[in-house]
Amino acid sequence: MIRTWRRLRFLLLILPLIAGNCAAETTLRVLAWPGYADADIVKAFEDRTGVRVEVSFVDSDENLWARVNAPEHDYFDVFAVNTAELQRYIRSDLVRPVNADAITNRSRQLSRFRDLQSIPGLVHQGRVFAIPYTYAEMGLIYDRRQVTPAPDSIAALWDPRYRGKVIAYNGGTHNFALAAQLLGHANPFNLNSHDWQMAVDKLIALRRNVLAFYTQPQESVDLFTRHGAALLFANFGSQQVKLLEAAGADVGYVIPREGALAWLDCWAIPKGTRNAALAEAWINYTLEEQPGNALSTRQGLANTTQAAASGTEGAGRLVWLQPVEDAERRNHLWGRIMAGARTDKVMAP
Amino acid sequence: MRFGIAARLALLLALVGVIASGVTGFYVYNASRTLLIQSSKSELLTSTKVLASRIVVAREEISRNLQLLSGHPDALAALDAAFDAPDTAAENRLAILFEQLMAVNPNYFQIRLIGAAEHGLERVRVDRGSDEPLRVGGEDLQEKGHYPYVFDTLKLAANETYLSRFAINHEQGAHAGLGRPTAQLGMPVVDRDGHTRGVVVINIDLHGVFKELSAGLPADFKLYLANAEGDFLVHPDPAQSFGFDRGRRILVQDEFPSTADLVLNKSPQVLLEVSSGSHSDLPVVAAFISQPVSIHSDESRLILGLAEPLATVLRQADALGNVILQIVLGICLACVLIAIAVARAVTRPINSMSLALRDFTAGAPMSALPTERHDEIGLLARSFGALSEQIRRQLSELQQRRHELEHLAQHDTLTGLPNRALFADRMEQALASARRDNTRLALMFIDLDDFKPINDERGHAVGDLLLKEVGTRIRKAIRESDTAARIGGDEFVVLLRHIQNKEDALAVAEKVRQSINQPILTDGPPLIVSASVGVATFPEGGSDEIELAKNADRAMYRAKQQGRNDVVIHQPAGQ
């Protein structure tokens, strides 16, 4: 009964847009990341609305940027983008504001996602440009047998007790943010000129404390299990927890008190959309239970309507990724640190 | 009619021959093509295995070099000295050794002595510069403790070799090796007490190594190398290797689907033929093997493969195909010739029989029948010969009967002279020709005098004998070209053609009268009969046969009246 009513309400919502469109079959063109719009999820939307949905997938931020910038024939009605990347789309005037009131399922979202103002980059001059959809935070994974009590700070990565038993991520942008967090910076994405040296020192100290740095989730799991590691900086979040549990490791997962770096993917509507109302209907639909479950059970990604399965919700805050002050410099310095250069050599011109 | 039995038979035989040789040729070609592909696949497999063993040999050579370096006293001496009070002499000697090794091994990117202390600080390091080995020292030495080639090698026993994953080297400051496909091989440096003090690491240039290893292979052989997960490490198209390093995995099982069995470790080798995807233009045959890595390594297995263009393999098949085609064409030609010969051999006797039959129906003497043959055709010819002989005999009998009947119909049975009908016919013809040629003829009526008493007294047999003898005498008295006929009991007529005048007719009539008047011998006393003869001539004595007959008859009566045994010629009125 409730189901029927909901469907009816949905139909009422989108009816004007269908009627308003031409007599030909209405098509919604979605540009998303793998796992964001699985065939069965799309089918349910099509069955309900009678529109045709064409989903294209991207595999990198660059690819996404290129396609949204593409000429008129390759238009999209709605696309998924993380909050950090979203900023340049707004700057380049490639996206249009979203009518947040039309997304009625926002009421189902957790409060931290409902309050759009609290998430940096979503609201500009009072206008909402994106609706949160899925996220992954970079918490700490620890071996329950070796690490007691559970770590509550990223400082654990530098803890000499775990020397040679720490596995960290091989990436400059995130690692400098991590160092900035350790140094107590409010905004880890914006280092001041005098912060660099300290951050480099911290990262060299991290290098000297770790067993190894990884780039791929599976690689981290192999290192962790083969070498009896104690701590793992989870750049891929709960996905790595799942993999480790599958490998038989007895691990815990925490959001440190400094806050976990997190990426947040949102739905945004490009300027070139041909059917903004239908795009909003799609966004509204993806906030329902089924699409949300698909994200968490199939992809190991968190959805915005349910508290994270690992019970980390509320333990610490999430620090949404933002564009950094100088990504090139971070990566350049990190390259040197990763190669094993000593302090003077890292900071050398 | 153009397509007789011969043509059809020849066509059928030729067709059977051509199809048989064609089908045989096709199957032979297919079978040998399959065999060729099979054999080149197993050749490829052998080459791949040889290559794999060459890799092992190459690795063992590096292991021996590592053994030489890690066991070198200077290595231990250099590591024994503290970082801030180095044993420069030992380090220098080691560096020279490293440089010499780099010089003779162009595939070495780097040789390093790395201490276990100071976070894996490099102690002696020689890189490959743009040309020459390049000693790296002082502040440029780096801490490498967080790399598996250090922390994993440190765990090994003396003389054990560690092999890193095959990857692109991103370690900044690696000189020539930076950004290049590299593998690190390491060996621990162990002191007398069994403590591991450091490691010796050789970075090798994977491109160089595999280029060298595949140097002896034919030019169109392509070498592939993938790790246990299937990521390409060596690929003929360099852009396809180390895809994972650029965030896009490029897998052997995607390009060669059947290698999935190797990746899943289900089988140690696969032989395959690919003509889809990137190989749709140039199909290849390939052999892939899964080679376990026997030393301590993060690479559990390597997947090694060799591919060869299918076209190269099939070039031999094509040559074979050409030979087969020539043979098939030869056989086809032979088939056609044999078919024609057989068809002719079979149809020639049939033709000669039909010729004979044609001659036979045309009445001409029959051409030779193939009766001498001992086969069905000979039997048919003999039967046909017998049949035609029988028909010929019966026909000639029939002809004879017909002649007899004709004779009977036109002749008097007693005397053998033409009867009235035949005479009338001849008379008509003679008159027609006389009129046309303006010649004369004469009609003679002969009546025997007193025949009836003889017939009554001496009997019919004698009468008949008499009539017969008279007929014979009349015939003898006239020319061949004249005609005598018996037209009644004792009445005879004679037609004389081409006479000059009536005197001629009279002379013949007189001759006839005299010859009849001669005694006739019988069983009894000889008989003497006389005849009265009337003659009418054309055109004087009548212009048609009726008038002529009437006048001849009148003349004959006048002869009777004048005393019998006389000849009277019809005299037209007024003469």
Side-chain angles (χ1 to χ4, degrees), chain A residues 59 163 204 207-208 210-213 216 223 226-227 331-332 335-342 344-345, chain B residues 83 119 121 138-148 151-152 155 170-173 244 247-248 297-298:
Chain A
D59 57 3
R163 187 171 166 191
I204 289 175
R207 182 187 77 201
R208 291 174 174 171
V210 302
L211 169 73
F213 295 96
Q216 299 294 323
L223 285 167
R226 284 223 326 258
H227 295 278
N331 287 325
H332 176 69
R336 289 182 171 179
I337 295 167
M338 181 66 196
R342 280 169 288 173
D344 300 344
K345 279 286 169 185
Chain B
F83 162 64
H119 315 290
L121 183 66
E139 286 293 302
D140 290 325
L141 295 175
Q142 295 170 326
E143 295 172 7
K144 300 291 188 186
H146 54 287
Y147 283 101
F151 63 75
D152 272 332
K155 289 180 185 156
H170 293 296
E171 292 180 46
Q172 287 194 9
F244 58 85
R248 189 169 70 93
S297 177
D298 293 324

